[in-house]
């Protein structure tokens, strides 16, 4: 009897253990399922919120292709089909204008011939008329004169074909890697194209030229006996608008390049084939300023670090920013700085000489570089270790008239 009870007790214990292990496995599977479900929900939520944040930063636009460029850092803040080759219509004249400004004198006189006549928009040049390069540039950029473009091309290089060669050389020089120019006015021609990104690069480059900036920022005035009104409506509608250029052909659609300057910062917006371009530019420029905050990394003359000076009358020298270093960042963006300079220098060093550079990264992408310069003159320490060296030093003092 005792043996039977012992066997029954062992059997009961085994059954209880088996049920425990079975329940444990079921509970474990349930916990794993719940954990995976929660992780998927969190992952999806992160994707959703990231997408919403990116969408909130810049609105949808009507343009087939568009970019927003911060001119100080050359950083693209927004892109939509930015590398797609597109027709660019009269925004071509941005390139025409900068080439003329860099290769011709504004006071040179051009005599108009019938070769300069062109279809489309015009400043209505007349055969035999004599017009300065300056006034032709105003006719080019304010009235979008196709005739002015031809007159300038003939004057600068002998004709539109040779001028187009100059345009392509310039495009390559300034980093427009996906553009091809065939004429100076932007009329539809096979092989004449650019991209929103390339046009932003061009616009940023051109706005550094004072004469170009003055012309495209002019709202209206009398030039070559004509009153001209700038076709760029944003000069009247958008706070801080500083220029640039409109364009349209039936196949290219509405094209627009514009620049806006506020609080010492300038942005360029390019839209290609944009039915609602005025509104697109207003929204994109405003978001470029509203969604980004100014962060001062360093100011011109401010010290950013110091390094040892070997054999110098001072043991260390400061490295100063040679220019203001300011970036604009949006919420969630991370700014990092790295100094590239020698670990030490040998005396002598001279104030203002190049000493290295500061590189600024936003979200691990290099945004800009600022040269660093030495803050002070530091002369070399002359060490006289022996009798002969002191004797030579004494002779030098005698010859130079220095006191003992």
């Amino acid at each position: 009897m005792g043996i039977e009870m012992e066997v029954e007790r062992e059997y009961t214990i085994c059954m209880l253990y088996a049920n425990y292990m079975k329940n444990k496995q079921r509970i474990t599977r349930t916990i794993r399922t719940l954990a995976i479900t929660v992780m998927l929900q969190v992952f999806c939520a992160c994707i959703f919120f990231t997408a919403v944040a990116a969408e909130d930063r810049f609105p949808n636009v009507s343009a087939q292709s568009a970019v927003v460029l911060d001119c100080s850092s050359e950083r693209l803040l927004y892109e939509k089909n930015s590398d797609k080759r597109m027709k660019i219509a009269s925004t071509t004249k941005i390139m025409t204008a900068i080439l003329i400004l860099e290769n011709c004198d504004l006071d040179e006189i051009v005599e108009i011939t019938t070769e300069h006549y062109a279809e489309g928009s015009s400043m209505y040049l007349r055969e035999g008329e004599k017009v300065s390069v300056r006034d032709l540039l105003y006719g080019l950029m304010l009235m979008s004169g196709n005739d002015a473009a031809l007159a300038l091309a003939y004057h600068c290089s002998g004709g539109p074909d040779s001028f187009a060669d100059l345009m392509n050389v310039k495009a390559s020089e300034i980093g427009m890697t996906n553009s091809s120019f065939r004429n100076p006015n932007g009329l539809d021609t096979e092989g004449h194209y650019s991209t929103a990104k390339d046009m932003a690069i061009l616009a940023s480059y051109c706005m550094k030229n004072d004469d170009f900036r003055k012309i495209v920022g002019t709202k209206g005035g009398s030039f070559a006996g004509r009153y001209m009104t700038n076709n760029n409506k944003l000069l009247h509608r958008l706070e801080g608008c500083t220029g640039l250029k409109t364009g349209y052909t039936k196949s290219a659609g509405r094209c627009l390049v514009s620049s806006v300057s506020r609080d010492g910062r300038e942005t360029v917006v390019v839209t290609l084939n944009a039915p609602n371009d005025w509104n697109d530019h207003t929204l994109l420029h405003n978001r470029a300023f509203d969604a980004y905050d100014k962060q001062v990394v360093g100011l011109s003359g401010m010290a950013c670090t110091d390094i040892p000076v070997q054999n110098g009358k001072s043991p260390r020298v400061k490295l100063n920013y040679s220019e203001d270093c300011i970036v604009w960042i949006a919420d969630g963006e991370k700014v990092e700085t790295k100094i590239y300079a020698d670990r030490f220098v040998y005396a002598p060093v001279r104030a203002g000489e190049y000493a290295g550079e500061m590189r600024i990264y936003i979200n691990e992408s290099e945004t800009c570089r600022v040269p660093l310069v030495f803050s002070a003159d530091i002369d070399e320490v002359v060490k006289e270790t022996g009798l002969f060296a002191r004797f030579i030093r004494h002779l030098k003092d005698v010859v130079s008239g220095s006191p003992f």
Side-chain angles (χ1 to χ4, degrees), residues 1-55:
M1 186 70 177
I3 295 174
E4 291 178 356
M5 290 180 65
E6 184 67 23
V7 169
E8 184 177 354
R9 188 168 69 85
E10 292 290 338
Y11 173 78
T12 301
I13 290 172
C14 288
M15 290 300 294
L16 288 172
Y17 180 75
N19 286 333
Y20 165 75
M21 292 300 296
K22 184 177 180 180
N23 289 334
K24 180 181 179 182
Q25 291 174 353
R26 186 169 63 249
I27 291 169
T28 301
R29 285 196 300 270
T30 301
I31 291 173
R32 285 176 179 170
T33 301
L34 286 171
I36 291 171
T37 302
V38 170
M39 289 172 67
L40 285 172
Q41 289 175 341
V42 170
F43 177 72
C44 292
C46 289
I47 293 176
F48 172 77
F49 286 120
T50 300
V52 169
E55 187 177 87

Side-chain angles (χ1 to χ4, degrees), residues 8-119:
E8 184 177 354
R9 188 168 69 85
E10 292 290 338
Y11 173 78
T12 301
I13 290 172
C14 288
M15 290 300 294
L16 288 172
Y17 180 75
N19 286 333
Y20 165 75
M21 292 300 296
K22 184 177 180 180
N23 289 334
K24 180 181 179 182
Q25 291 174 353
R26 186 169 63 249
I27 291 169
T28 301
R29 285 196 300 270
T30 301
I31 291 173
R32 285 176 179 170
T33 301
L34 286 171
I36 291 171
T37 302
V38 170
M39 289 172 67
L40 285 172
Q41 289 175 341
V42 170
F43 177 72
C44 292
C46 289
I47 293 176
F48 172 77
F49 286 120
T50 300
V52 169
E55 187 177 87
D56 283 348
R57 191 172 298 169
F58 285 97
N60 291 325
V61 292
S62 70
Q64 187 175 346
S65 176
V67 298
V68 179
L69 176 73
D70 180 272
C71 293
S72 60
S73 63
E74 302 296 327
R75 178 188 177 201
L76 285 175
L77 306 180
Y78 169 81
E79 301 179 68
K80 178 182 179 182
N81 299 323
S82 63
D83 289 315
K84 183 175 182 179
R85 292 179 177 180
M86 305 276 288
K87 294 179 180 180
I88 56 174
S90 284
T91 60
T92 297
K93 291 164 185 165
I94 297 172
M95 175 63 85
T96 302
I98 195 63
L99 272 176
I100 296 299
L101 286 167
E102 291 180 347
N103 290 280
C104 300
D105 191 287
L106 290 175
D107 293 322
E108 292 172 5
I109 300 299
V110 180
E111 184 170 350
I112 305 305
T113 71
T114 55
E115 285 184 310
H116 305 154
Y117 292 174
E119 62 178 302

Side-chain angles (χ1 to χ4, degrees), residues 240-256:
C241 183
T242 50
L244 273 164
K245 187 71 186 73
T246 60
Y248 174 81
T249 66
K250 188 173 182 180
S251 59
R254 296 178 63 85
C255 302
L256 182 60

